[in-house]
Amino acid sequence: SLFILHYTRQSMRLPFFALFAALPASFTSAFNVNSNSRRTYRNLPQTRPKAVSIPLEKNSPAQTSSEADTVSKRDNWVYNLDYDAFAKDVSDLGKKLLKETNEDDVEHLKKILGWRDAAAIIGITSMWMAPNPITVAALSTWTYASWTMIAHHTCHGGYNRVNAGKYNSRGFALGSILRRVSDWCDWMLPEAWNIEHNRLHHYHLGESLDPDLVERNLEFLRSSDTPMPAKYAQVAALMPIWKWFYYAPNTFKELQIAKYKSEGKNLPAAFNAEEAVTLKSLFSPQSEGEKAMSEVVKPIDFVAKVLSPFILSRLLLLPAPLLLIPGIRGTLFAHAIVNLLLAEMITNIHGFITIVTNHAGEDLYKFDDEVKPKTGSFYVRQVVSSVNYAAGTDPIDFSHGWLNYQIEHHVWPDLSMLQYQRGAPQLKAICEKHGVPYIQENVFERKTTRVRGKFRLNIC
């Protein structure tokens, strides 16, 4: 089912592609930009470590006799948390999981690779057939698993401490088109994704420097005079194409910004680093800011370096041998192209379903400043701004792309898939011990009951 988000500029945070929530009641308020609807927020006392601040109702008095009087029961845990003790428990568990990483993790990786490769074989060997759900699902699973499970954990260094062959962050899919195609070929340039995701998103989760802040990225849509049904149609059209239309150019933007800084070059005066870029704004810039963006994220470079390797290798060269079959070559090739394109759309939708609510929901927090990594406040932020799904077995975890361990992954980004599976129950117990909210729900239940586009603005 489609997801409709209730947009309130001050309180919402989730990745750009998290654009829907299956709640018809939110239809009339979606993309709302009425500034009068804003809630006011108040900082926590300065005398104790801060993880979050508590949102106050608009009409709350400016002064109260007690800080606790202004806090909802759901947020009282903030005042009682011993950040140092929590940090020690979380850090100790992380060290234990790292120490226990061994050949079992390599064998587990091989198992997941086997499942991924089986999907690839089924999809590739049957893509000549008339478009059908088995072929499309297999091809989609191949792409999805390659990104969310294999590349994701490899690029974070989850297998750097063991002998896992090429599955090491120091070189995986990097350095050449050949490595990219053979290791992990997707719409995103791996070097760019490493910066956008591994650095910025992970170490600025929910902050202004998080590149996946939707209230900023969708400003153009919220502020437009487009009729509401047209906005829904526009968002629905983005859902199966977000990886190449939005995500790929934005990851490349972060790589270009990093290059400018490393070379000591000044960005164009009108350039806004926080402004999202899409394929449309890149190739048809209208404002001065979009024109400046095109100077930094050069369209020709973007197509040549980012999109072309995937288009050529996956959509043209892969089915090309079918053109050698006389008589029916055209039909078989056309079937393959359609199957591949449908698989890409399904992969985007699959990614949407498993990613959308990882960092979205009215029960999650966002932040307006930064904290030092591996501190109590940092660990708290990762937990209270993330959501887990059902987990615990390889089939369930595979179907979620291992994105069902989002809390553990943000607390310890460089663990293997097996260690997330083992560590999740232990981290959950630590959170329960210290009273830190640890949210775990069925992915379908969460997307239909929790994601209303209302988010709690908080400060660390």
Side-chain angles (χ1 to χ4, degrees), residues 50-108:
K50 297 183 296 178
V52 292
S53 69
I54 307 305
L56 308 181
E57 296 303 325
K58 179 179 179 181
N59 296 323
S60 295
Q63 303 277 337
T64 60
S65 59
S66 168
E67 290 286 346
D69 290 341
T70 67
V71 181
S72 69
K73 291 182 179 179
R74 185 172 69 176
D75 298 315
N76 275 333
W77 65 271
V78 174
Y79 289 98
N80 303 317
L81 177 62
D82 184 334
Y83 289 91
D84 292 335
F86 180 72
K88 182 179 186 306
D89 286 350
V90 173
S91 179
D92 288 347
L93 176 56
K95 293 175 182 177
K96 172 177 172 289
L97 295 171
L98 284 175
K99 186 177 181 179
E100 292 175 353
T101 302
N102 53 36
E103 286 304 307
D104 290 344
D105 298 82
V106 178
E107 292 303 313
H108 183 262

Side-chain angles (χ1 to χ4, degrees), residues 26-323:
S26 67
F27 181 85
T28 58
S29 56
F31 309 109
N32 183 5
V33 295
N34 183 359
S35 60
N36 293 328
S37 66
R38 295 187 178 188
R39 303 171 70 186
T40 57
Y41 300 88
R42 181 174 184 177
N43 291 346
L44 284 175
Q46 298 296 317
T47 57
R48 63 181 293 108
K50 297 183 296 178
V52 292
S53 69
I54 307 305
L56 308 181
E57 296 303 325
K58 179 179 179 181
N59 296 323
S60 295
Q63 303 277 337
T64 60
S65 59
S66 168
E67 290 286 346
D69 290 341
T70 67
V71 181
S72 69
K73 291 182 179 179
R74 185 172 69 176
D75 298 315
N76 275 333
W77 65 271
V78 174
Y79 289 98
N80 303 317
L81 177 62
D82 184 334
Y83 289 91
D84 292 335
F86 180 72
K88 182 179 186 306
D89 286 350
V90 173
S91 179
D92 288 347
L93 176 56
K95 293 175 182 177
K96 172 177 172 289
L97 295 171
L98 284 175
K99 186 177 181 179
E100 292 175 353
T101 302
N102 53 36
E103 286 304 307
D104 290 344
D105 298 82
V106 178
E107 292 303 313
H108 183 262
L109 173 62
K110 291 179 179 178
K111 177 182 179 180
I112 301 305
L113 283 167
W115 291 3
R116 189 277 309 266
D117 293 346
I121 292 171
I122 293 172
I124 293 172
T125 58
S126 64
M127 66 182 177
W128 57 271
M129 301 171 64
N132 64 90
I134 294 178
T135 299
V136 171
L139 290 170
S140 174
T141 300
W142 172 30
T143 301
Y144 178 78
S146 295
W147 176 29
T148 63
M149 286 171 269
I150 310 307
H152 189 190
H153 297 95
T154 298
C155 291
H156 272 290
Y159 298 96
N160 285 8
R161 298 168 186 82
V162 293
N163 183 15
K166 69 177 182 180
Y167 300 100
N168 188 297
S169 64
R170 304 180 187 93
F172 183 79
L174 304 175
S176 69
I177 294 178
L178 181 61
R179 284 299 303 268
R180 179 181 174 187
V181 172
S182 62
D183 292 350
W184 170 44
C185 194
D186 209 320
W187 293 107
M188 297 79 68
L189 181 68
E191 289 87 346
W193 187 75
N194 284 342
I195 292 176
E196 193 273 351
H197 176 79
N198 294 2
R199 297 184 194 176
L200 296 176
H201 172 62
H202 265 269
Y203 290 95
H204 297 285
L205 178 63
E207 303 168 4
S208 61
L209 291 177
D210 185 347
D212 295 327
L213 284 172
V214 76
E215 69 268 32
R216 178 180 64 225
N217 298 343
L218 280 183
E219 171 66 24
F220 74 96
L221 189 58
R222 292 197 315 278
S223 61
S224 72
D225 296 326
T226 306
M228 191 64 65
K231 288 185 178 182
Y232 277 104
Q234 190 172 350
V235 171
L238 288 171
M239 190 170 151
I241 64 173
W242 66 268
K243 284 169 66 178
W244 58 265
F245 184 81
Y246 164 80
Y247 200 41
N250 277 280
T251 56
F252 191 59
K253 177 194 74 175
E254 300 299 344
L255 176 64
Q256 295 304 99
I257 293 174
K259 286 184 176 180
Y260 266 73
K261 291 180 179 179
S262 66
E263 296 171 0
K265 297 168 59 177
N266 294 323
L267 292 163
F271 179 81
N272 180 2
E274 294 185 348
E275 182 179 351
V277 56
T278 66
L279 218 59
K280 179 179 179 295
S281 64
L282 191 61
F283 285 90
S284 182
Q286 302 298 317
S287 66
E288 290 302 315
E290 290 179 348
K291 293 176 182 177
M293 185 71 73
S294 293
E295 292 181 33
V296 177
V297 187
K298 295 180 173 58
I300 294 178
D301 286 349
F302 172 69
V303 172
K305 297 179 180 180
V306 182
L307 299 186
S308 291
F310 184 75
I311 293 173
L312 291 174
S313 63
R314 182 63 59 88
L315 302 179
L316 294 178
L317 295 179
L318 183 63
L322 296 173
L323 294 173

